Structure formats: structure tokens, C-alpha cells
Amino acid sequence: PESTASPGHHHHRAHRRDPYPFQRIDLRSAMATLQAAINMKPGAVSGSAGGATLLRDDDSLLRQMFFGILRHHHPNLARKVDVIYALAQAWSNSSEDADFDMLQKYLADLKPEEKILVASSFSHMLNLHNLTEEVNQSEMERAFRLVEMESPTRTTNKSLMRLTTEKGYSAEEVYKQLCNQQVDLVLTAHPTQALRTSLLRKYAAVRQELSKLHTKRMSEYEKLECLEAIRANVQAAWRTDEIRRQQPTPQDEMRGGLAYMNSVIFDMVPVFHRRMDTALQQLGQPRLPLTHSLFTFGSWMGGDRDGNPNVTWETTRDVCLVARLEAANAYFRVIEALMFELSMWRCNARVKEYAHKLMSTDDHHFGRIADERKRRNYADFWVPSMTTEPFRVVLANIRDRLFITREVIHQCLIQPNMDMKAALRERSAYLDIEELYEPLKMMYDSLMETGDDSVANGRLLDLLRQLRTFGLAMMRLDVRQESTRHTEVMDTITQYLGMGSYAEWDEATRVEFLLQELQSKRPLMPSGMQASADVQEVIHTMRVLAEIPKDSLGAYVISMARTASDVLAVVLLQRECGVKDFLRVVPLFETLDDLTNAPQQMRTLLGNEWYRTHINGLQECMIGYSDSGKDAGRLAAAWALFEAQEKLVAVAQEYKIKLVLFHGRGGTVGRGGGPTHMAIRSQPAGTIDGTLRVTVQGEIIEQQFGEPEVCFRTLDVYTSAVLEACMDPPRAPKPEWREMMSKLSAISCSEYRGIVFQNPDFVPYFHTATPVSELGGLNIGSRPAKRKPGGGVGTLRAIPWIFAWTQTRLHLPVWLGIGEALEKAFEESGEDVLSDMYDNWPFFQGTIELIEMVLAKADPRIVSLYEKMLAPPALWPIGEELRARLTKVKSNILRVIHKQKLLEEVKPGDSRGGSGGHLDVKLSLRAPYVAPLNVLQCLCLTALRDVQENGEANAQFSPSDPEILDLLSRVPASRAIGAPSPFVQAMSDALLITIKGVAAGMQNTG
């Protein structure tokens, strides 16, 4: 085979006068191939056929562009990649074993350094293809809004019309519901975003330019410039190391989340509220109240310490400060812009009086203030404004206080022992949002009174909405800790005081003790108490919470909460550590047993008068989708979650308590993921009482908030779904549906556990036939893959559990056990009940359609490849059994949904849903990119495991080519003493790239 690197040729090319010989040729040809798509008239995207054509054209454009870049840097490799793509496409179209064998043999013959670059090529092409899907989705969203095609999901506009015309609600009733409705989106640092931020930004630029080609009228030259910009970013992405060489810190994760807030969400929230105002105006209703926001945002980044030793009390303090700093920066920019806009002199008496008061203070220090503002390098308006410009006087004061706020926060970041709240108060910095909101609202009222309503309802209105949504903290931080850590603290206290061992007490004794202490006025925790490092960490965290401004904090979530004492212990520890404004304590029910017992535990809590008084009529409970699915299988977990929600709401209503359910949903179906509207509409009636909290995890943050059009759509879908869930909830399931679901749940759970927890061959098969052991090298999150070292599936976190099966294309956690459950149901009850459930019950329909979508991504041929190459022959029988079960579940799902094949497009007017044919097109376009990555992953795993077992006798690889050495030198350890050999470095890099690539192809990690 030809050498990938041709150093002499390459370096000669680099010094040529025209370094881009392929660029102009490729751009011209690309222009020709895409001209029809670019010149599409607005209605051309209408229908799935138009959308699919646009998708194919965009995919072809970016692939051609990438090949041009690859030929420029690696001409010999480009030819091989072209051959591999053709072989993969042939196999994807034919499904013939002979075609797959040719692909496998060709890839096996690649040199180690070629494997790295080939893996990287296909990974990049997949990421570029995903951009075309995102642009295609944005184009379809635009077509939906222009009523050029029917939206498959209801928008808020449609929901408003449906509720007022079909469901008999008055416009006033809908308006009142919206005024009481709020969605809290909690961004989490769950390690499922496999792409580096450096690449995400370059791909975002490509997406933006590609979108311009379809939406903006441009001359021929402008189109060429747009394509040049795309090529520049594609080239920059190709020349960027896609592997994270260092594990991110929680602070890094927080900054990553804040990047979405600053670049997209902060600006799109007021835009969405404006659209809502316009929609309400069409119904004859006023604007939404300025004091109300439809959304708030929370974060777990730097607060989620469950099983993550990297999150400490210092981390929590840091991320709160960083978030407050970002909020101050964002408001500072808006205030400076408003100072240019609000130049008018006419105002009401209140603003005039306030401006005079501020001016009278400034007059005494005129020169000093001007010099100080000059030093701060403000955009303009260094000299104090005159009272003839009263709005600028008020805004200048706000700007000064925001600048001071930023300075104080900077100092607090540098000095970890500085008291945050005291420092902010001392410098008259902003500590309470009302101090910032009131003068701005006063100016808004003044403009409205003087008839300048168009000015008032411009940027100033947007700012007021932003203040109500984001506050001074941008995102409120939740703290999460495992229940046993609090038990350890309580046990340390009671033993130190000679009261016995709290850990050994039964539940009744614990509850009695905790309630007695909570009602006592004396402190419990002694000063100078000796404690372990883990106990000290919990206590330090509680004390930091007392120091952090209350508007920076959200809830205190207790994972693995199983008893009422778990909640009461956290309330007591907050009091003992000086927390004045208590964080609401939220038990997280995760496993099947926890969900089953949750209603009784909440009854114990709410049945206590002291606790009811303490929570002031509001209780929040979190339900976990990830661990319940890993514990019992997807179907049993879904039904347990459904029933637990119904029962928790009933208990809360019994005690006249408002219950807020916090949904801990992951990105994948195996962890509760799926389309937002479907997920919300399939919840039990009455469980979303105007308020919804939900996690947005990992790669889903990018998918829902990566660019403005998508962000707007996300806000729209949440608003529409919650509005309908409250005003038009799904009907209660029929008794026969409940009976059927209980049977399906019991059988599927038994079958699932029989394989996962009881079959002795399963765990060895899982560890050998998947890359689960190698996932840690991805460095995609700050926390370990396991809660505890060692152990089997039980100690493994849900994310690597899902991630590993996604890589092998088996997707086992989503469907295992369901085929047998459906088969039994068909035998005993026929098809009528299941068909009725699918046609008329949103919960069941949504669950089945998500399983259908995942099954369409599964590929038993790829699964078999992993098994034959990686698992010992003694374990092959369990693999064959799993693939037989996969075949069974596919056929039984098709019986339920009345289709001949998965993802078959439903007929127009069919009342049933369906994943539709458009996803089928997307999967077929991704297939030729994903298959080579799967094969390469198996080859790399085989080679690395062989070295691990037998040493490097069979792995002779001593490159001398400078470019290959340069390629391998990206590994930080490569220069250290005792560093891995070049062969191991090459295989490790290639493996990690394939893992990222397959994740991109499945559009899911964990």
C-alpha cells in the first residue's frame, strides 16, 4: 500500500506560490452541484421529498469540499478514503457479506498511522453530515413558520388556536395559564458531549455559512466567498486535534455551558417572549407580565458531586462566581447599548427626581468620576450626563455599579477566603436583582407614560425580560450529593457526642431524632469535631452554601434517596452550617425499588406538621430515568416512572401541597431521551401543573441550543407542550391498558434482569464485546465512569452503560426484554388491546415509537463483527441469543405499529404517529460513514488488547517519517520516560477517534 505521508511532496507543496491548487476547482464544481438547491424557491423545501433532496445536496457539497482538503494535505490517503467510502456505500446498499468482507479486508491492510487519519476522515465527514441535518431541520422549521409545509409537532401558535377554537377555552383562560406557567431547564455536565469546544465552534461557523446559502439572496461572488468561508472552517477543523488530551475540570464544564447562554440563549429568550406577545395580541390579550418569564435556567456544572471527587466546595464557589461574572458582563453590554439609544429628555416626575438625586451626588466628584470612567475604558459617556438626559444619568449609575460588581467578583475568584456577600455589600455592588430591575422598570414606565411606547418596548423591554429570566446568576446552581454521604456526617456527629451510631438506627428512630433536633433551638454540631475527609467535605460544602448569594443557588438534590430521613438530614445540616435561606431539598428516586417506595416516603414526610410548615406548600421530587432503565430495562422503567408520578401527585394533593416534578432525562432513549413534545405530552394527567423542571444533558445542549433558530424552536416546543399538558391533558388510561402495561413491565423486567444480572456470561461478554473499558480515555467529563471501583453493571454509571452498547450498534438497554413481553401479550390477548393502546394512549405510542427509532439504528451484522473479533468463542452463544432477541423485538414492534418495515412513512391522514421516512433518509446517508468506523474500532481494540495480553512482539512499528512522528507526538505522554510505544499510541488515538465518530453517527453517546 502507498504511504499516507509523502513528506517530500508535502513540504514541496507547502512552499509553492499557489498553496491551494484544489481549492478553486472544488469550489467551482461544488457551486455547480449545489446550484439547484441554492436557488430553490421558498416553497421548494416543502414535503419530505424536498427536504431529502436538500439534505443530499448539502451532504454532497461538504463531502466534496472535505475531499478537496484531504487531497491537498494527504493525496495518497485521499484516494484510499475514496475507495473505503465507495466500499462502505456498496455494502450499505447491498447488505451482502461479500461487500462487507472487502471493506473489512481493505481497512485491515492499513498501516497504523493510516488508521488514525482514515478514522479521523470519516469522523469529520460524519460531523459535517450532521451539520447538513441541522441546517435542513432549520430550513424545515422556517418552512413550518411560513406555512409552506405542515409541522409534525405543534407550535405554541397552533396550541393557542387549538385550545381556543377546538377545546372551548377562552383567550383569557389561556392567557392566565401562560402567566402561571414556567419551565426550568437545568443544564448538566453529564459527560456525553464527545466533541471538543474548539471543533463545535468551527462546525457552528460552517453551519451558519451553509444556512446563508439557502436563506440569503447573494450574488455569484458572495456565494463563492461563503463557500470559501465554509472551506476555511472545514480545513481548520481537520487540522485540529479532535481528542481531548486532558480531562476537563468542572469549571471547564461550567464555562462550556455558559458559552451557550452568552452566544444564543441570553438573546433568544426575549425574542421568544416577543413572539408570544404577538401571538397573544392576535387573541386580544395583553403582553405577558414583565414580572413573569416562561423560562428559567439552572445548572449542575460544578454542583453535582455525586460520585465525582473532582467537585469540591471550592469548585462550587468558583462556578457560582463565574456565572455571576458572566451575567454582569452580559448586562453591562446591554446597558452600554441602551445609553446610546435612550437619549430623550422627556420623562415622568419619578425618573426626573431620581436622576437629580444621582446628579447631586456626582456634582461633588465630577472630575474624579470622569477620570475613573476613562480609566475603565467605557465605550462612551465618560463625563457625567446632564439632567437634560435623565435616562443616561440613571443608566450611567447602573453601568458603574455593574463594573464594580465585576471587580468584586474577580477579587472573590482570586481570594478563596473572601466573604462573597459581604464584599458585594461593602462596595455597593449588585447583590439583589431588584436593585437592578427597579430603576429600569421605572424608566420603562416613564417611556410608556410619555407616549414613547415603541422605544420602551424595544431593547429596554428585552432587558427587563432577561433580568426576570436570568437574574444576577445567569443559571441557578443545584447541588447534588449521595444520601450515604449525609448519613456519614450524622453518624460522625452522634458518635462524637456519645449518642450512639446514627448509621445503625432504624428509620423511625432517625426520623424522630432529626425532627426533635430541627425543632430544638440549640446547635447540634460541636466545634472542633474530628472527622474524615469525606465528612469534612460535606460540612465545608454546606458552609459555602451559607456564603453564596441565595439567587445563585437552586435545589439540593439527594441521589439514591430512599427514606424520609435522607431529606430531613439535609435540612438539619443546612441549619447547623449557617444556611439562612434554605435550599429546597429534593429527593431523587432512581431505581425501580426507589420509584415504587417513593409515594410512601413522601407520605411520611408530608404527614409531619413541622415539615409541611417548613416547605411552605411546595415540594419538589426528582425522578431518574437513567438508573431506573439500567436497573429494570426501558419498558419497566417507563411504566414505573408513570405510576410513581401519579401516586406522588396524589399524595401531595392529599396534604394540599403543590408538587413540582424534576425530570432527570438523558439524551438517549435508554436514559429517558426523545422528542420533547412527545415526552411532555405522554406524562400522566395532572403531573405537570404549570411548572416543569427537566435536565438538558451533554450533547443535547448543543442539539437544542446550538444556534438561534434551533433555540427558538426548543423554547417554542416546551411552551406548547406544557400549555397543552395543563389545559388538555391526556385522558386517564383504561383499566385494561393499565393491566396490560403491568404485565408487559413485569415480563420485560424479568427477561432483562435474567440476562443482565443473572446470566454469568453476560458481564464478561459486555466487557469483551464492547469498548466499555476504553471509554475513560475520551476525557469527555470530569467524573469517573463508575461510582465505585470494581463490580459489574450495578456499579457502572448509566452513561457508559448506554455509550458502550451504542458503539456496537446493539442498543441493548433500550429493547432487551420487550420482544418477549409483547410476544406473550399477543399470545394471551391478541392484537386488539395493544393496537388500541398504540392508537389512543400518548404514553404507550411515544414509548413504542422511540424503541422503533432505536431499533432502526441497530445493526446485527456490526454486532456480530465486534463479537467475533473481540469476544472469546465460549461467549459467542450469548451474543447469538441477544441477536435473536433483537430480531424478535423488531418483528413484534412492527406488529404493534402495523408497518412492514421500521421507519416506514405513515400515510397522510393516519392518526397514528410514526418516526416517518425522513429519519430513514438520514440514517441511509450516515451509513457509509459509520460502517468503516465500526470496523476500524474493532481492529484497534483487537490490536490494543493483544498488546495488553501478549506484549508488543507482534506489533512492530518504528516510524521514522517526521510527519508520522509529528502525528503521534500529539499525545502528551509520548515524550515522557516510559511512554507507550508508537504502535500503542497510534492504535489508542485511532480507537478514540472511532468512538467519537460512531457517537456522531448515532447522534448519541450516553
Side-chain angles (χ1 to χ4, degrees):
E2 298 169 287
S3 170
T4 301
S6 304
H9 177 69
H10 176 81
H11 291 302
H12 174 66
R13 179 187 298 280
H15 290 93
R16 287 172 60 173
R17 293 186 64 184
D18 182 6
Y20 304 109
F22 295 103
Q23 180 178 357
R24 293 178 181 80
I25 299 168
D26 287 331
L27 292 182
R28 295 284 180 187
S29 62
M31 274 299 302
T33 59
L34 199 67
Q35 196 64 45
I38 294 172
N39 292 335
M40 271 187 178
K41 296 210 166 25
V45 77
S46 302
S48 60
T53 300
L54 193 68
L55 187 62
R56 288 190 179 96
D57 287 342
D58 283 353
D59 179 71
S60 178
L61 168 72
L62 293 186
R63 188 174 66 253
Q64 285 184 45
M65 196 170 283
F66 177 78
F67 267 114
I69 291 164
L70 193 62
R71 283 197 298 271
H72 167 63
H73 291 293
H74 308 283
N76 295 330
L77 182 84
R79 284 191 285 275
K80 295 192 175 188
V81 170
D82 205 3
V83 170
I84 293 164
Y85 179 78
L87 290 172
Q89 198 165 40
W91 176 65
S92 299
N93 293 334
S94 73
S95 300
E96 294 291 335
D97 290 343
D99 288 333
F100 187 77
D101 291 342
M102 286 178 65
L103 173 65
Q104 186 179 348
K105 185 177 186 309
Y106 195 92
L107 289 165
D109 288 339
L110 295 175
K111 295 178 181 179
E113 72 273 15
E114 289 176 327
K115 287 187 172 76
I116 297 176
L117 292 170
V118 168
S120 193
S121 298
F122 280 91
S123 180
H124 276 288
M125 286 192 287
L126 259 172
N127 286 317
L128 292 172
H129 169 79
N130 285 346
L131 294 182
T132 68
E133 291 190 15
E134 291 168 20
V135 170
N136 184 254
Q137 186 62 37
S138 290
E139 288 303 297
M140 293 180 78
E141 300 291 353
R142 193 171 285 110
F144 299 152
R145 284 210 306 278
L146 296 172
V147 201
E148 292 169 354
M149 61 187 294
E150 186 72 15
S151 172
T153 306
R154 271 197 284 277
T155 61
T156 306
N157 266 346
K158 283 193 173 182
S159 294
L160 293 175
M161 296 306 297
R162 181 172 173 271
L163 291 169
T164 51
T165 57
E166 296 177 25
K167 296 298 175 181
Y169 284 102
S170 68
E172 290 78 11
E173 287 174 310
V174 175
Y175 177 78
K176 184 179 178 183
Q177 172 59 38
L178 283 169
C179 290
N180 292 306
Q181 176 174 311
Q182 192 166 75
V183 177
D184 188 12
L185 299 174
V186 183
L187 278 57
T188 77
H190 285 69
T192 58
Q193 176 51 271
L195 280 175
R196 292 181 63 199
T197 303
S198 301
L199 287 171
L200 283 172
R201 288 180 178 172
K202 290 174 179 63
Y203 289 142
V206 173
R207 180 176 57 212
Q208 187 176 0
E209 295 295 329
L210 188 59
S211 190
K212 276 166 58 178
L213 282 173
H214 298 300
T215 58
K216 191 176 176 183
R217 292 184 63 192
M218 291 188 284
S219 70
E220 195 78 8
Y221 286 107
E222 287 171 323
K223 288 174 184 176
L224 281 169
E225 287 162 6
C226 191
L227 287 164
E228 290 269 9
I230 292 174
R231 186 186 190 282
N233 281 287
V234 171
Q235 187 171 40
W238 167 245
R239 302 294 269 181
T240 299
D241 187 0
E242 62 260 67
I243 299 174
R244 284 189 184 95
R245 301 296 175 180
Q246 291 181 315
Q247 190 174 25
T249 66
Q251 288 91 330
D252 293 334
E253 292 170 332
M254 181 60 160
R255 280 189 286 269
L258 285 169
Y260 291 97
M261 303 299 289
N262 288 329
S263 62
V264 179
I265 301 172
F266 187 79
D267 293 325
M268 287 311 297
V269 162
V271 171
F272 178 72
H273 279 81
R274 282 181 175 283
R275 298 282 170 87
M276 287 302 304
D277 289 342
T278 305
L280 288 168
Q281 191 177 11
Q282 301 296 318
L283 295 176
Q285 296 301 303
R287 293 179 186 277
L288 288 168
L290 298 188
T291 54
H292 179 65
S293 176
L294 291 168
F295 290 88
T296 56
F297 291 85
S299 169
W300 276 18
M301 303 174 187
D304 180 10
R305 60 235 315 120
D306 175 22
N308 188 351
N310 298 309
V311 178
T312 63
W313 63 270
E314 294 104 324
T315 307
T316 295
R317 182 180 184 275
D318 279 355
V319 297
C320 286
L321 284 166
V322 169
R324 292 185 84 85
L325 183 61
E326 290 298 330
N329 286 334
Y331 294 135
F332 186 89
R333 289 191 293 271
V334 179
I335 293 295
E336 285 217 310
L338 278 172
M339 290 186 75
F340 286 95
E341 291 181 15
L342 301 186
S343 57
M344 53 285 301
W345 59 269
R346 187 179 281 107
C347 65
N348 66 10
R350 192 173 169 215
V351 170
K352 189 176 292 185
E353 180 185 345
Y354 187 62
H356 272 291
K357 180 181 175 184
L358 294 173
M359 279 298 297
S360 64
T361 306
D362 290 352
D363 283 345
H364 299 296
H365 310 285
F366 191 91
R368 183 182 61 76
I369 290 172
D371 287 344
E372 179 62 21
R373 288 176 178 172
K374 183 177 180 180
R375 182 188 70 79
R376 293 172 178 175
N377 195 30
Y378 289 161
D380 206 337
F381 310 109
W382 294 348
V383 176
S385 301
M386 306 304 291
T387 50
T388 51
E389 293 182 334
F391 294 100
R392 282 180 172 166
V393 173
V394 178
L395 289 168
N397 176 259
I398 293 173
R399 180 178 65 173
D400 286 341
R401 291 190 67 186
L402 281 170
F403 189 91
I404 292 168
T405 302
R406 297 193 304 183
E407 282 191 327
V408 173
I409 294 171
H410 273 297
Q411 291 167 5
C412 289
L413 277 167
I414 296 166
Q415 302 176 46
N417 295 321
M418 182 179 280
D419 187 315
M420 201 186 306
K421 285 191 281 195
L424 288 166
R425 284 195 201 97
E426 187 182 331
R427 293 282 305 278
S428 296
Y430 285 116
L431 183 59
D432 184 349
I433 190 65
E434 297 306 320
E435 296 177 77
L436 181 53
Y437 182 86
E438 284 302 326
L440 292 166
K441 178 63 164 59
M442 179 174 62
M443 289 191 289
Y444 178 86
D445 292 341
S446 173
L447 289 166
M448 296 296 285
E449 284 178 33
T450 55
D452 299 316
D453 52 325
S454 292
V455 178
N457 290 321
R459 197 190 299 263
L460 182 56
L461 172 65
D462 289 348
L463 177 56
L464 292 170
R465 289 259 164 84
Q466 286 165 329
L467 286 167
R468 281 295 172 225
T469 302
F470 303 104
L472 289 173
M474 196 64 88
M475 300 187 285
R476 287 176 175 263
L477 183 74
D478 282 2
V479 174
R480 181 169 79 139
Q481 182 60 279
E482 194 177 353
S483 58
T484 56
R485 295 291 297 275
H486 309 123
T487 302
E488 289 172 17
V489 178
M490 293 306 304
D491 189 63
T492 300
I493 294 171
T494 57
Q495 292 211 47
Y496 184 82
L497 295 174
M499 302 171 72
S501 174
Y502 176 89
E504 295 176 4
W505 295 348
D506 61 24
E507 175 63 7
T509 306
R510 288 186 187 184
V511 169
E512 182 184 357
F513 169 75
L514 293 167
L515 286 171
Q516 183 180 329
E517 288 299 327
L518 282 164
Q519 294 170 73
S520 169
K521 294 182 179 179
R522 62 163 175 76
L524 172 68
M525 192 182 299
S527 59
M529 179 180 70
Q530 299 298 311
S532 67
D534 283 351
V535 169
Q536 290 286 8
E537 174 58 37
V538 173
I539 294 171
H540 281 313
T541 298
M542 292 287 185
R543 287 178 177 155
V544 162
L545 298 181
E547 177 202 329
I548 295 171
K550 65 178 180 180
D551 61 345
S552 280
L553 300 170
Y556 195 113
V557 179
I558 312 169
S559 57
M560 297 298 173
R562 296 191 166 94
T563 60
S565 64
D566 289 336
V567 174
L568 294 172
V570 174
V571 178
L572 179 60
L573 288 173
Q574 286 189 74
R575 190 199 73 178
E576 290 298 312
C577 293
V579 179
K580 298 286 188 255
D581 299 295
F582 284 82
L583 281 71
R584 61 188 187 277
V585 181
V586 179
L588 166 53
F589 303 112
E590 298 176 88
T591 66
L592 196 64
D593 288 344
D594 292 346
L595 289 166
T596 304
N597 297 329
Q600 183 53 48
Q601 301 309 327
M602 292 314 300
R603 188 181 300 280
T604 303
L605 275 174
L606 299 180
N608 181 268
E609 187 177 349
W610 181 91
Y611 184 76
R612 286 202 307 276
T613 305
H614 170 73
I615 61 174
N616 196 25
L618 179 67
Q619 175 65 50
E620 184 176 324
C621 290
M622 185 172 183
I623 50 175
Y625 290 69
S626 301
D627 283 293
S628 57
K630 182 165 71 77
D631 178 43
R634 184 70 262 141
L635 191 66
W639 182 235
L641 287 159
F642 188 95
E643 289 195 305
Q645 289 180 72
E646 287 184 316
K647 291 172 183 175
L648 285 168
V649 167
V651 171
Q653 288 173 345
E654 184 182 328
Y655 291 100
K656 297 181 173 55
I657 298 293
K658 177 179 171 62
L659 179 72
V660 174
L661 286 168
F662 183 8
H663 297 260
R665 301 172 64 86
T668 54
V669 175
R671 296 181 53 242
T676 300
H677 202 282
M678 176 197 293
I680 294 172
R681 293 289 288 133
S682 62
Q683 300 303 316
T687 57
I688 300 175
D689 188 16
T691 307
L692 174 71
R693 287 197 94 208
V694 61
T695 56
V696 185
Q697 300 184 7
E699 80 276 20
I700 305 303
I701 300 175
E702 170 68 19
Q703 291 173 17
Q704 293 192 344
F705 300 105
E707 58 102 21
E709 188 84 30
V710 173
C711 176
F712 182 93
R713 175 64 170 163
T714 298
L715 301 177
D716 195 15
V717 167
Y718 272 110
T719 303
S720 165
V722 172
L723 180 65
E724 291 203 26
C726 294
M727 303 197 76
D728 182 31
R731 64 179 181 178
K734 298 176 184 177
E736 58 265 35
W737 295 355
R738 286 185 178 278
E739 184 182 351
M740 177 61 77
M741 268 310 303
S742 295
K743 286 181 181 177
L744 292 173
S745 172
I747 296 168
S748 67
C749 181
S750 175
E751 292 287 338
Y752 175 91
R753 287 178 169 174
I755 292 285
V756 173
F757 295 107
Q758 293 163 19
N759 189 317
D761 289 339
F762 179 79
V763 170
Y765 180 84
F766 173 54
H767 282 288
T768 54
T770 77
V772 65
S773 303
E774 288 80 10
L775 292 177
L778 279 174
N779 286 327
I780 61 174
S782 66
R783 74 183 192 184
K786 289 195 172 191
R787 282 193 166 90
K788 296 174 183 176
V793 174
T795 63
L796 191 70
R797 285 191 176 276
I799 291 170
W801 166 245
I802 301 287
F803 203 154
W805 292 114
T806 302
Q807 291 288 307
T808 68
R809 311 278 291 277
L810 185 58
H811 302 283
L812 174 139
V814 177
W815 55 262
L816 183 60
I818 296 174
E820 291 72 29
L822 290 173
E823 184 177 63
K824 189 77 171 173
F826 284 132
E827 288 174 4
E828 294 182 355
S829 309
E831 296 188 7
D832 291 347
V833 177
L834 288 170
S835 295
D836 188 24
M837 290 164 67
Y838 180 70
D839 291 342
N840 300 301
W841 190 11
F843 163 75
F844 188 70
Q845 185 183 96
T847 303
I848 294 297
E849 286 177 3
L850 287 173
I851 295 166
E852 177 197 8
M853 180 267 289
V854 173
L855 289 174
K857 294 181 179 181
D859 192 326
R861 296 163 298 181
I862 295 291
V863 178
S864 178
L865 175 73
Y866 277 82
E867 178 185 301
K868 297 299 185 283
M869 290 187 70
L870 300 171
L875 296 175
W876 291 359
I878 190 172
E880 291 166 4
E881 181 186 348
L882 292 175
R883 289 193 296 281
R885 287 172 176 260
L886 175 62
T887 302
K888 181 184 292 185
V889 72
K890 282 182 180 179
S891 63
N892 284 319
I893 287 288
L894 288 171
R895 281 185 73 183
V896 172
I897 62 180
H898 308 295
K899 291 182 184 179
Q900 297 301 310
K901 65 173 187 174
L902 297 170
L903 301 184
E904 185 178 33
E905 201 158 8
V906 294
K907 295 176 182 176
D910 195 325
S911 62
R912 290 188 295 272
S915 303
H918 201 53
L919 177 59
D920 202 22
V921 174
K922 292 178 181 178
L923 293 178
S924 68
L925 286 172
R926 289 182 220 158
Y929 302 126
V930 183
L933 289 166
N934 281 123
V935 176
L936 280 169
Q937 188 175 115
C938 288
L939 291 167
C940 293
L941 284 167
T942 302
L944 286 169
R945 291 177 183 179
D946 183 58
V947 167
Q948 197 172 10
E949 289 177 19
N950 305 313
E952 299 194 31
N954 301 321
Q956 296 303 317
F957 178 58
S958 303
S960 57
D961 188 319
E963 185 161 336
I964 297 173
L965 292 171
D966 195 38
L967 183 69
L968 298 176
S969 71
R970 297 182 300 176
V971 183
S974 62
R975 301 179 188 87
I977 297 172
S981 69
F983 179 81
V984 171
Q985 288 176 35
M987 291 297 96
S988 297
D989 266 15
L991 172 64
L992 295 179
I993 293 166
T994 64
I995 290 173
K996 287 170 176 280
V998 174
M1002 297 296 100
Q1003 293 197 353
N1004 287 117
T1005 50

